[in-house]
PDB file of all heavy atoms in Angstrom:
ATOM      1  N   ASN A1034      -3.547  -8.125  -4.099  1.00 93.00           N
ATOM      2  CA  ASN A1034      -4.509  -7.603  -3.303  1.00 93.00           C
ATOM      3  C   ASN A1034      -5.675  -8.598  -3.229  1.00 93.00           C
ATOM      4  O   ASN A1034      -6.277  -8.915  -4.262  1.00 93.00           O
ATOM      5  CB  ASN A1034      -5.045  -6.267  -3.781  1.00 93.00           C
ATOM      6  CG  ASN A1034      -5.993  -5.519  -2.810  1.00 93.00           C
ATOM      7  OD1 ASN A1034      -6.199  -6.058  -1.745  1.00 93.00           O
ATOM      8  ND2 ASN A1034      -6.362  -4.358  -3.157  1.00 93.00           N
ATOM      9  N   GLN A1035      -5.890  -9.062  -2.028  1.00 92.00           N
ATOM     10  CA  GLN A1035      -7.051 -10.065  -1.872  1.00 92.00           C
ATOM     11  C   GLN A1035      -7.983  -9.473  -0.731  1.00 92.00           C
ATOM     12  O   GLN A1035      -7.566  -9.430   0.421  1.00 92.00           O
ATOM     13  CB  GLN A1035      -6.592 -11.383  -1.367  1.00 92.00           C
ATOM     14  CG  GLN A1035      -5.926 -12.164  -2.606  1.00 92.00           C
ATOM     15  CD  GLN A1035      -5.575 -13.585  -2.229  1.00 92.00           C
ATOM     16  OE1 GLN A1035      -5.393 -13.887  -1.065  1.00 92.00           O
ATOM     17  NE2 GLN A1035      -5.508 -14.396  -3.242  1.00 92.00           N
ATOM     18  N   LYS A1036      -9.102  -9.026  -1.118  1.00 91.00           N
ATOM     19  CA  LYS A1036     -10.094  -8.450  -0.218  1.00 91.00           C
ATOM     20  C   LYS A1036      -9.444  -7.338   0.752  1.00 91.00           C
ATOM     21  O   LYS A1036      -9.719  -7.359   1.890  1.00 91.00           O
ATOM     22  CB  LYS A1036     -10.599  -9.588   0.618  1.00 91.00           C
ATOM     23  CG  LYS A1036     -11.282 -10.667  -0.149  1.00 91.00           C
ATOM     24  CD  LYS A1036     -11.762 -11.771   0.758  1.00 91.00           C
ATOM     25  CE  LYS A1036     -12.474 -12.869  -0.125  1.00 91.00           C
ATOM     26  NZ  LYS A1036     -12.830 -14.016   0.653  1.00 91.00           N
ATOM     27  N   GLY A1037      -8.867  -6.440   0.095  1.00 90.00           N
ATOM     28  CA  GLY A1037      -8.393  -5.204   0.796  1.00 90.00           C
ATOM     29  C   GLY A1037      -7.107  -5.489   1.566  1.00 90.00           C
ATOM     30  O   GLY A1037      -6.809  -4.632   2.476  1.00 90.00           O
ATOM     31  N   THR A1038      -6.301  -6.313   1.210  1.00 93.00           N
ATOM     32  CA  THR A1038      -5.090  -6.588   1.984  1.00 93.00           C
ATOM     33  C   THR A1038      -3.941  -5.475   1.535  1.00 93.00           C
ATOM     34  O   THR A1038      -3.026  -5.306   2.362  1.00 93.00           O
ATOM     35  CB  THR A1038      -4.394  -7.939   1.701  1.00 93.00           C
ATOM     36  OG1 THR A1038      -4.305  -8.106   0.312  1.00 93.00           O
ATOM     37  CG2 THR A1038      -5.265  -9.025   2.286  1.00 93.00           C
ATOM     38  N   ILE A1039      -4.176  -4.847   0.447  1.00 93.00           N
ATOM     39  CA  ILE A1039      -3.274  -3.695   0.039  1.00 93.00           C
ATOM     40  C   ILE A1039      -4.118  -2.446  -0.042  1.00 93.00           C
ATOM     41  O   ILE A1039      -5.004  -2.323  -0.914  1.00 93.00           O
ATOM     42  CB  ILE A1039      -2.662  -3.925  -1.203  1.00 93.00           C
ATOM     43  CG1 ILE A1039      -1.738  -5.207  -1.158  1.00 93.00           C
ATOM     44  CG2 ILE A1039      -1.693  -2.756  -1.629  1.00 93.00           C
ATOM     45  CD1 ILE A1039      -1.227  -5.663  -2.543  1.00 93.00           C
ATOM     46  N   THR A1040      -3.932  -1.528   0.910  1.00 92.00           N
ATOM     47  CA  THR A1040      -4.738  -0.269   0.803  1.00 92.00           C
ATOM     48  C   THR A1040      -3.793   0.867   1.261  1.00 92.00           C
ATOM     49  O   THR A1040      -2.797   0.725   2.021  1.00 92.00           O
ATOM     50  CB  THR A1040      -5.982  -0.312   1.766  1.00 92.00           C
ATOM     51  OG1 THR A1040      -5.460  -0.703   3.086  1.00 92.00           O
ATOM     52  CG2 THR A1040      -6.986  -1.338   1.412  1.00 92.00           C
ATOM     53  N   ILE A1041      -4.175   2.049   0.822  1.00 92.00           N
ATOM     54  CA  ILE A1041      -3.500   3.298   1.204  1.00 92.00           C
ATOM     55  C   ILE A1041      -4.354   3.977   2.266  1.00 92.00           C
ATOM     56  O   ILE A1041      -5.500   4.244   1.991  1.00 92.00           O
ATOM     57  CB  ILE A1041      -3.117   4.152   0.038  1.00 92.00           C
ATOM     58  CG1 ILE A1041      -2.191   3.422  -0.847  1.00 92.00           C
ATOM     59  CG2 ILE A1041      -2.623   5.496   0.460  1.00 92.00           C
ATOM     60  CD1 ILE A1041      -1.683   4.154  -2.089  1.00 92.00           C
ATOM     61  N   VAL A1042      -3.837   4.169   3.417  1.00 92.00           N
ATOM     62  CA  VAL A1042      -4.455   4.962   4.532  1.00 92.00           C
ATOM     63  C   VAL A1042      -3.594   6.167   4.784  1.00 92.00           C
ATOM     64  O   VAL A1042      -2.657   6.126   5.430  1.00 92.00           O
ATOM     65  CB  VAL A1042      -4.566   4.063   5.747  1.00 92.00           C
ATOM     66  CG1 VAL A1042      -5.364   4.845   6.875  1.00 92.00           C
ATOM     67  CG2 VAL A1042      -5.283   2.784   5.435  1.00 92.00           C
ATOM     68  N   GLY A1043      -4.187   7.329   4.381  1.00 92.00           N
ATOM     69  CA  GLY A1043      -3.418   8.619   4.692  1.00 92.00           C
ATOM     70  C   GLY A1043      -2.049   8.601   3.829  1.00 92.00           C
ATOM     71  O   GLY A1043      -2.077   8.340   2.626  1.00 92.00           O
ATOM     72  N   ASN A1044      -0.996   8.735   4.563  1.00 93.00           N
ATOM     73  CA  ASN A1044       0.351   8.756   3.834  1.00 93.00           C
ATOM     74  C   ASN A1044       1.032   7.372   4.302  1.00 93.00           C
ATOM     75  O   ASN A1044       2.260   7.364   4.347  1.00 93.00           O
ATOM     76  CB  ASN A1044       1.290   9.886   4.242  1.00 93.00           C
ATOM     77  CG  ASN A1044       0.735  11.129   3.524  1.00 93.00           C
ATOM     78  OD1 ASN A1044       0.072  11.119   2.507  1.00 93.00           O
ATOM     79  ND2 ASN A1044       1.095  12.303   4.140  1.00 93.00           N
ATOM     80  N   LYS A1045       0.224   6.406   4.407  1.00 95.00           N
ATOM     81  CA  LYS A1045       0.821   4.929   4.783  1.00 95.00           C
ATOM     82  C   LYS A1045       0.188   3.921   3.901  1.00 95.00           C
ATOM     83  O   LYS A1045      -0.994   4.121   3.402  1.00 95.00           O
ATOM     84  CB  LYS A1045       0.667   4.631   6.295  1.00 95.00           C
ATOM     85  CG  LYS A1045       1.444   5.618   7.092  1.00 95.00           C
ATOM     86  CD  LYS A1045       1.289   5.234   8.585  1.00 95.00           C
ATOM     87  CE  LYS A1045       2.069   6.316   9.404  1.00 95.00           C
ATOM     88  NZ  LYS A1045       2.061   5.827  10.713  1.00 95.00           N
ATOM     89  N   ILE A1046       0.858   2.856   3.725  1.00 95.00           N
ATOM     90  CA  ILE A1046       0.233   1.719   2.917  1.00 95.00           C
ATOM     91  C   ILE A1046       0.229   0.496   3.805  1.00 95.00           C
ATOM     92  O   ILE A1046       1.126   0.274   4.535  1.00 95.00           O
ATOM     93  CB  ILE A1046       1.136   1.450   1.604  1.00 95.00           C
ATOM     94  CG1 ILE A1046       0.358   0.432   0.753  1.00 95.00           C
ATOM     95  CG2 ILE A1046       2.477   0.990   1.929  1.00 95.00           C
ATOM     96  CD1 ILE A1046       0.878   0.305  -0.613  1.00 95.00           C
ATOM     97  N   LYS A1047      -0.888  -0.244   3.719  1.00 95.00           N
ATOM     98  CA  LYS A1047      -1.050  -1.482   4.338  1.00 95.00           C
ATOM     99  C   LYS A1047      -0.677  -2.649   3.380  1.00 95.00           C
ATOM    100  O   LYS A1047      -1.168  -2.658   2.227  1.00 95.00           O
ATOM    101  CB  LYS A1047      -2.542  -1.663   4.768  1.00 95.00           C
ATOM    102  CG  LYS A1047      -2.899  -2.977   5.527  1.00 95.00           C
ATOM    103  CD  LYS A1047      -4.324  -3.131   5.704  1.00 95.00           C
ATOM    104  CE  LYS A1047      -4.663  -4.502   6.148  1.00 95.00           C
ATOM    105  NZ  LYS A1047      -5.914  -4.887   5.979  1.00 95.00           N
ATOM    106  N   LEU A1048       0.214  -3.431   3.830  1.00 95.00           N
ATOM    107  CA  LEU A1048       0.761  -4.632   2.961  1.00 95.00           C
ATOM    108  C   LEU A1048       0.373  -5.977   3.771  1.00 95.00           C
ATOM    109  O   LEU A1048       0.322  -5.843   4.947  1.00 95.00           O
ATOM    110  CB  LEU A1048       2.133  -4.524   2.658  1.00 95.00           C
ATOM    111  CG  LEU A1048       2.553  -3.362   1.828  1.00 95.00           C
ATOM    112  CD1 LEU A1048       4.085  -3.192   1.748  1.00 95.00           C
ATOM    113  CD2 LEU A1048       2.066  -3.592   0.441  1.00 95.00           C
ATOM    114  N   PRO A1049       0.115  -7.042   2.998  1.00 94.00           N
ATOM    115  CA  PRO A1049      -0.241  -8.292   3.692  1.00 94.00           C
ATOM    116  C   PRO A1049       0.947  -8.701   4.622  1.00 94.00           C
ATOM    117  O   PRO A1049       2.094  -8.614   4.380  1.00 94.00           O
ATOM    118  CB  PRO A1049      -0.273  -9.272   2.485  1.00 94.00           C
ATOM    119  CG  PRO A1049      -0.615  -8.451   1.320  1.00 94.00           C
ATOM    120  CD  PRO A1049       0.141  -7.141   1.575  1.00 94.00           C
ATOM    121  N   LYS A1050       0.495  -9.325   5.717  1.00 93.00           N
ATOM    122  CA  LYS A1050       1.350  -9.901   6.808  1.00 93.00           C
ATOM    123  C   LYS A1050       2.075  -8.882   7.685  1.00 93.00           C
ATOM    124  O   LYS A1050       2.868  -9.283   8.524  1.00 93.00           O
ATOM    125  CB  LYS A1050       2.381 -10.845   6.190  1.00 93.00           C
ATOM    126  CG  LYS A1050       1.823 -12.193   5.915  1.00 93.00           C
ATOM    127  CD  LYS A1050       2.222 -13.125   6.870  1.00 93.00           C
ATOM    128  CE  LYS A1050       1.840 -14.568   6.561  1.00 93.00           C
ATOM    129  NZ  LYS A1050       2.498 -15.616   7.255  1.00 93.00           N
ATOM    130  N   LEU A1051       1.965  -7.670   7.351  1.00 94.00           N
ATOM    131  CA  LEU A1051       2.610  -6.633   8.174  1.00 94.00           C
ATOM    132  C   LEU A1051       1.649  -5.975   9.202  1.00 94.00           C
ATOM    133  O   LEU A1051       0.537  -5.641   8.746  1.00 94.00           O
ATOM    134  CB  LEU A1051       3.129  -5.485   7.327  1.00 94.00           C
ATOM    135  CG  LEU A1051       4.510  -5.754   6.659  1.00 94.00           C
ATOM    136  CD1 LEU A1051       4.822  -4.491   5.823  1.00 94.00           C
ATOM    137  CD2 LEU A1051       5.527  -5.971   7.638  1.00 94.00           C
ATOM    138  N   LYS A1052       1.877  -5.973  10.400  1.00 91.00           N
ATOM    139  CA  LYS A1052       1.027  -5.533  11.440  1.00 91.00           C
ATOM    140  C   LYS A1052       0.892  -3.980  11.299  1.00 91.00           C
ATOM    141  O   LYS A1052      -0.160  -3.360  11.590  1.00 91.00           O
ATOM    142  CB  LYS A1052       1.563  -5.935  12.794  1.00 91.00           C
ATOM    143  CG  LYS A1052       1.460  -7.414  12.964  1.00 91.00           C
ATOM    144  CD  LYS A1052       1.992  -7.821  14.379  1.00 91.00           C
ATOM    145  CE  LYS A1052       1.790  -9.353  14.570  1.00 91.00           C
ATOM    146  NZ  LYS A1052       2.809 -10.161  13.919  1.00 91.00           N
ATOM    147  N   ARG A1053       2.017  -3.203  11.085  1.00 95.00           N
ATOM    148  CA  ARG A1053       1.976  -1.810  11.115  1.00 95.00           C
ATOM    149  C   ARG A1053       2.052  -1.327   9.606  1.00 95.00           C
ATOM    150  O   ARG A1053       2.572  -1.977   8.782  1.00 95.00           O
ATOM    151  CB  ARG A1053       3.215  -1.271  11.826  1.00 95.00           C
ATOM    152  CG  ARG A1053       3.170  -1.655  13.305  1.00 95.00           C
ATOM    153  CD  ARG A1053       4.373  -1.125  14.108  1.00 95.00           C
ATOM    154  NE  ARG A1053       4.463   0.413  14.027  1.00 95.00           N
ATOM    155  CZ  ARG A1053       5.556   0.971  14.168  1.00 95.00           C
ATOM    156  NH1 ARG A1053       6.628   0.464  14.527  1.00 95.00           N
ATOM    157  NH2 ARG A1053       5.460   2.416  13.992  1.00 95.00           N
ATOM    158  N   LEU A1054       1.445  -0.133   9.427  1.00 96.00           N
ATOM    159  CA  LEU A1054       1.388   0.413   8.106  1.00 96.00           C
ATOM    160  C   LEU A1054       2.782   1.025   7.811  1.00 96.00           C
ATOM    161  O   LEU A1054       3.583   1.486   8.648  1.00 96.00           O
ATOM    162  CB  LEU A1054       0.349   1.558   8.081  1.00 96.00           C
ATOM    163  CG  LEU A1054      -1.038   1.216   8.471  1.00 96.00           C
ATOM    164  CD1 LEU A1054      -1.948   2.351   8.427  1.00 96.00           C
ATOM    165  CD2 LEU A1054      -1.601   0.165   7.391  1.00 96.00           C
ATOM    166  N   VAL A1055       3.130   1.001   6.503  1.00 96.00           N
ATOM    167  CA  VAL A1055       4.449   1.544   6.023  1.00 96.00           C
ATOM    168  C   VAL A1055       4.287   2.862   5.630  1.00 96.00           C
ATOM    169  O   VAL A1055       3.469   3.131   4.654  1.00 96.00           O
ATOM    170  CB  VAL A1055       4.946   0.590   4.954  1.00 96.00           C
ATOM    171  CG1 VAL A1055       6.419   1.056   4.472  1.00 96.00           C
ATOM    172  CG2 VAL A1055       5.051  -0.830   5.376  1.00 96.00           C
ATOM    173  N   PRO A1056       5.059   3.850   5.994  1.00 96.00           N
ATOM    174  CA  PRO A1056       4.999   5.267   5.538  1.00 96.00           C
ATOM    175  C   PRO A1056       5.477   5.332   4.138  1.00 96.00           C
ATOM    176  O   PRO A1056       6.440   4.780   3.745  1.00 96.00           O
ATOM    177  CB  PRO A1056       5.882   6.027   6.485  1.00 96.00           C
ATOM    178  CG  PRO A1056       6.074   5.165   7.717  1.00 96.00           C
ATOM    179  CD  PRO A1056       5.955   3.759   7.244  1.00 96.00           C
ATOM    180  N   ILE A1057       4.828   6.079   3.247  1.00 95.00           N
ATOM    181  CA  ILE A1057       5.114   6.274   1.908  1.00 95.00           C
ATOM    182  C   ILE A1057       5.126   7.761   1.628  1.00 95.00           C
ATOM    183  O   ILE A1057       4.501   8.590   2.278  1.00 95.00           O
ATOM    184  CB  ILE A1057       4.255   5.508   0.955  1.00 95.00           C
ATOM    185  CG1 ILE A1057       2.787   6.045   1.070  1.00 95.00           C
ATOM    186  CG2 ILE A1057       4.275   4.014   1.143  1.00 95.00           C
ATOM    187  CD1 ILE A1057       1.838   5.566   0.036  1.00 95.00           C
ATOM    188  N   HIS A1058       5.772   8.116   0.489  1.00 94.00           N
ATOM    189  CA  HIS A1058       5.643   9.462   0.122  1.00 94.00           C
ATOM    190  C   HIS A1058       4.664   9.493  -1.042  1.00 94.00           C
ATOM    191  O   HIS A1058       4.869   9.118  -2.266  1.00 94.00           O
ATOM    192  CB  HIS A1058       7.113   9.929  -0.625  1.00 94.00           C
ATOM    193  CG  HIS A1058       7.160  11.238  -1.175  1.00 94.00           C
ATOM    194  ND1 HIS A1058       7.117  12.417  -0.452  1.00 94.00           N
ATOM    195  CD2 HIS A1058       6.856  11.704  -2.478  1.00 94.00           C
ATOM    196  CE1 HIS A1058       7.074  13.466  -1.241  1.00 94.00           C
ATOM    197  NE2 HIS A1058       6.933  13.012  -2.535  1.00 94.00           N
ATOM    198  N   LEU A1059       3.479   9.932  -0.680  1.00 91.00           N
ATOM    199  CA  LEU A1059       2.311   9.871  -1.492  1.00 91.00           C
ATOM    200  C   LEU A1059       2.255  11.204  -2.386  1.00 91.00           C
ATOM    201  O   LEU A1059       1.635  12.178  -1.842  1.00 91.00           O
ATOM    202  CB  LEU A1059       1.049   9.670  -0.663  1.00 91.00           C
ATOM    203  CG  LEU A1059      -0.241   9.292  -1.496  1.00 91.00           C
ATOM    204  CD1 LEU A1059      -0.118   8.062  -2.144  1.00 91.00           C
ATOM    205  CD2 LEU A1059      -1.453   9.385  -0.507  1.00 91.00           C
ATOM    206  N   HIS A1060       2.852  11.223  -3.513  1.00 89.00           N
ATOM    207  CA  HIS A1060       2.836  12.426  -4.264  1.00 89.00           C
ATOM    208  C   HIS A1060       1.735  12.645  -5.190  1.00 89.00           C
ATOM    209  O   HIS A1060       1.573  13.656  -5.880  1.00 89.00           O
ATOM    210  CB  HIS A1060       4.215  12.506  -5.048  1.00 89.00           C
ATOM    211  CG  HIS A1060       4.463  11.315  -5.913  1.00 89.00           C
ATOM    212  ND1 HIS A1060       3.903  11.105  -7.187  1.00 89.00           N
ATOM    213  CD2 HIS A1060       5.176  10.186  -5.634  1.00 89.00           C
ATOM    214  CE1 HIS A1060       4.251   9.962  -7.638  1.00 89.00           C
ATOM    215  NE2 HIS A1060       5.073   9.390  -6.782  1.00 89.00           N
ATOM    216  N   ARG A1061       0.952  11.636  -5.347  1.00 88.00           N
ATOM    217  CA  ARG A1061      -0.342  11.676  -6.161  1.00 88.00           C
ATOM    218  C   ARG A1061      -1.347  10.664  -5.613  1.00 88.00           C
ATOM    219  O   ARG A1061      -0.879   9.692  -5.114  1.00 88.00           O
ATOM    220  CB  ARG A1061      -0.158  11.566  -7.627  1.00 88.00           C
ATOM    221  CG  ARG A1061       0.433  10.223  -7.984  1.00 88.00           C
ATOM    222  CD  ARG A1061       0.578  10.289  -9.491  1.00 88.00           C
ATOM    223  NE  ARG A1061       1.373   9.054  -9.790  1.00 88.00           N
ATOM    224  CZ  ARG A1061       1.574   8.640 -11.130  1.00 88.00           C
ATOM    225  NH1 ARG A1061       0.932   9.301 -12.018  1.00 88.00           N
ATOM    226  NH2 ARG A1061       2.177   7.609 -11.349  1.00 88.00           N
ATOM    227  N   GLN A1062      -2.576  10.820  -5.810  1.00 87.00           N
ATOM    228  CA  GLN A1062      -3.664  10.043  -5.355  1.00 87.00           C
ATOM    229  C   GLN A1062      -3.823   8.814  -6.291  1.00 87.00           C
ATOM    230  O   GLN A1062      -3.731   8.966  -7.533  1.00 87.00           O
ATOM    231  CB  GLN A1062      -4.958  10.744  -5.163  1.00 87.00           C
ATOM    232  CG  GLN A1062      -5.035  11.728  -4.048  1.00 87.00           C
ATOM    233  CD  GLN A1062      -4.719  11.177  -2.732  1.00 87.00           C
ATOM    234  OE1 GLN A1062      -5.209  10.125  -2.430  1.00 87.00           O
ATOM    235  NE2 GLN A1062      -3.866  11.830  -1.946  1.00 87.00           N
ATOM    236  N   VAL A1063      -4.034   7.676  -5.644  1.00 86.00           N
ATOM    237  CA  VAL A1063      -4.279   6.517  -6.500  1.00 86.00           C
ATOM    238  C   VAL A1063      -5.733   6.368  -6.884  1.00 86.00           C
ATOM    239  O   VAL A1063      -6.640   6.551  -5.952  1.00 86.00           O
ATOM    240  CB  VAL A1063      -3.842   5.209  -5.696  1.00 86.00           C
ATOM    241  CG1 VAL A1063      -4.192   3.973  -6.453  1.00 86.00           C
ATOM    242  CG2 VAL A1063      -2.404   5.279  -5.253  1.00 86.00           C
ATOM    243  N   LYS A1064      -6.094   6.265  -8.137  1.00 83.00           N
ATOM    244  CA  LYS A1064      -7.376   6.249  -8.645  1.00 83.00           C
ATOM    245  C   LYS A1064      -7.630   4.745  -8.933  1.00 83.00           C
ATOM    246  O   LYS A1064      -6.872   4.032  -9.615  1.00 83.00           O
ATOM    247  CB  LYS A1064      -7.591   6.991  -9.870  1.00 83.00           C
ATOM    248  CG  LYS A1064      -7.431   8.511  -9.549  1.00 83.00           C
ATOM    249  CD  LYS A1064      -7.583   9.264 -10.842  1.00 83.00           C
ATOM    250  CE  LYS A1064      -7.354  10.794 -10.482  1.00 83.00           C
ATOM    251  NZ  LYS A1064      -7.386  11.572 -11.704  1.00 83.00           N
ATOM    252  N   GLY A1065      -8.734   4.178  -8.546  1.00 83.00           N
ATOM    253  CA  GLY A1065      -9.029   2.783  -8.699  1.00 83.00           C
ATOM    254  C   GLY A1065      -8.649   1.911  -7.605  1.00 83.00           C
ATOM    255  O   GLY A1065      -8.334   2.308  -6.566  1.00 83.00           O
ATOM    256  N   VAL A1066      -8.592   0.622  -7.985  1.00 86.00           N
ATOM    257  CA  VAL A1066      -8.222  -0.388  -6.975  1.00 86.00           C
ATOM    258  C   VAL A1066      -6.866  -0.912  -7.267  1.00 86.00           C
ATOM    259  O   VAL A1066      -6.490  -1.170  -8.452  1.00 86.00           O
ATOM    260  CB  VAL A1066      -9.222  -1.634  -7.118  1.00 86.00           C
ATOM    261  CG1 VAL A1066      -8.781  -2.685  -6.178  1.00 86.00           C
ATOM    262  CG2 VAL A1066     -10.602  -1.167  -6.825  1.00 86.00           C
ATOM    263  N   ILE A1067      -6.024  -1.000  -6.161  1.00 89.00           N
ATOM    264  CA  ILE A1067      -4.616  -1.603  -6.435  1.00 89.00           C
ATOM    265  C   ILE A1067      -4.727  -3.059  -6.491  1.00 89.00           C
ATOM    266  O   ILE A1067      -5.314  -3.784  -5.708  1.00 89.00           O
ATOM    267  CB  ILE A1067      -3.812  -1.215  -5.226  1.00 89.00           C
ATOM    268  CG1 ILE A1067      -3.594   0.345  -5.191  1.00 89.00           C
ATOM    269  CG2 ILE A1067      -2.356  -1.920  -5.417  1.00 89.00           C
ATOM    270  CD1 ILE A1067      -2.786   0.742  -3.988  1.00 89.00           C
ATOM    271  N   LYS A1068      -4.359  -3.705  -7.579  1.00 90.00           N
ATOM    272  CA  LYS A1068      -4.355  -5.040  -7.900  1.00 90.00           C
ATOM    273  C   LYS A1068      -3.141  -5.846  -7.430  1.00 90.00           C
ATOM    274  O   LYS A1068      -3.249  -6.982  -6.861  1.00 90.00           O
ATOM    275  CB  LYS A1068      -4.597  -5.327  -9.349  1.00 90.00           C
ATOM    276  CG  LYS A1068      -6.002  -4.908  -9.834  1.00 90.00           C
ATOM    277  CD  LYS A1068      -6.977  -5.800  -9.238  1.00 90.00           C
ATOM    278  CE  LYS A1068      -8.367  -5.375  -9.773  1.00 90.00           C
ATOM    279  NZ  LYS A1068      -9.396  -6.149  -9.154  1.00 90.00           N
ATOM    280  N   HIS A1069      -1.905  -5.195  -7.610  1.00 91.00           N
ATOM    281  CA  HIS A1069      -0.776  -5.849  -7.300  1.00 91.00           C
ATOM    282  C   HIS A1069       0.186  -4.844  -6.695  1.00 91.00           C
ATOM    283  O   HIS A1069      -0.001  -3.626  -6.928  1.00 91.00           O
ATOM    284  CB  HIS A1069      -0.058  -6.447  -8.479  1.00 91.00           C
ATOM    285  CG  HIS A1069      -0.785  -7.251  -9.422  1.00 91.00           C
ATOM    286  ND1 HIS A1069      -1.036  -8.515  -9.119  1.00 91.00           N
ATOM    287  CD2 HIS A1069      -1.448  -6.972 -10.546  1.00 91.00           C
ATOM    288  CE1 HIS A1069      -1.810  -9.149 -10.087  1.00 91.00           C
ATOM    289  NE2 HIS A1069      -2.092  -8.105 -10.983  1.00 91.00           N
ATOM    290  N   ALA A1070       1.087  -5.288  -5.874  1.00 93.00           N
ATOM    291  CA  ALA A1070       2.122  -4.310  -5.282  1.00 93.00           C
ATOM    292  C   ALA A1070       3.443  -5.009  -5.379  1.00 93.00           C
ATOM    293  O   ALA A1070       3.601  -6.244  -4.913  1.00 93.00           O
ATOM    294  CB  ALA A1070       1.843  -3.990  -3.870  1.00 93.00           C
ATOM    295  N   THR A1071       4.475  -4.385  -5.843  1.00 94.00           N
ATOM    296  CA  THR A1071       5.854  -4.838  -5.833  1.00 94.00           C
ATOM    297  C   THR A1071       6.697  -4.053  -4.913  1.00 94.00           C
ATOM    298  O   THR A1071       6.687  -2.792  -5.211  1.00 94.00           O
ATOM    299  CB  THR A1071       6.396  -4.926  -7.350  1.00 94.00           C
ATOM    300  OG1 THR A1071       5.570  -5.729  -8.166  1.00 94.00           O
ATOM    301  CG2 THR A1071       7.837  -5.355  -7.350  1.00 94.00           C
ATOM    302  N   VAL A1072       7.279  -4.608  -3.939  1.00 95.00           N
ATOM    303  CA  VAL A1072       8.194  -3.840  -3.066  1.00 95.00           C
ATOM    304  C   VAL A1072       9.619  -4.256  -3.510  1.00 95.00           C
ATOM    305  O   VAL A1072       9.929  -5.377  -3.764  1.00 95.00           O
ATOM    306  CB  VAL A1072       8.003  -4.308  -1.655  1.00 95.00           C
ATOM    307  CG1 VAL A1072       8.981  -3.570  -0.740  1.00 95.00           C
ATOM    308  CG2 VAL A1072       6.681  -3.978  -1.075  1.00 95.00           C
ATOM    309  N   SER A1073      10.322  -3.212  -3.747  1.00 95.00           N
ATOM    310  CA  SER A1073      11.730  -3.440  -4.228  1.00 95.00           C
ATOM    311  C   SER A1073      12.744  -2.614  -3.372  1.00 95.00           C
ATOM    312  O   SER A1073      12.454  -1.494  -2.851  1.00 95.00           O
ATOM    313  CB  SER A1073      11.946  -3.043  -5.709  1.00 95.00           C
ATOM    314  OG  SER A1073      11.862  -1.644  -5.833  1.00 95.00           O
ATOM    315  N   ARG A1074      13.888  -3.174  -3.230  1.00 94.00           N
ATOM    316  CA  ARG A1074      15.027  -2.441  -2.568  1.00 94.00           C
ATOM    317  C   ARG A1074      16.102  -2.164  -3.566  1.00 94.00           C
ATOM    318  O   ARG A1074      16.575  -3.085  -4.399  1.00 94.00           O
ATOM    319  CB  ARG A1074      15.667  -3.331  -1.573  1.00 94.00           C
ATOM    320  CG  ARG A1074      16.911  -2.712  -0.905  1.00 94.00           C
ATOM    321  CD  ARG A1074      17.436  -3.519   0.152  1.00 94.00           C
ATOM    322  NE  ARG A1074      18.608  -2.860   0.793  1.00 94.00           N
ATOM    323  CZ  ARG A1074      19.750  -3.055   0.622  1.00 94.00           C
ATOM    324  NH1 ARG A1074      20.211  -4.034  -0.214  1.00 94.00           N
ATOM    325  NH2 ARG A1074      20.753  -2.414   1.299  1.00 94.00           N
TER     326      ARG A1074
END
């Protein structure tokens, strides 16, 4: 996360280089600042 490139907006997450937000299953609220994100398949 560099200057807000990873944020959760509603039930979607914003990731770097993606124009559209990715829908997620937000089963709990994130407290604090997201420092890193790992996307896995």
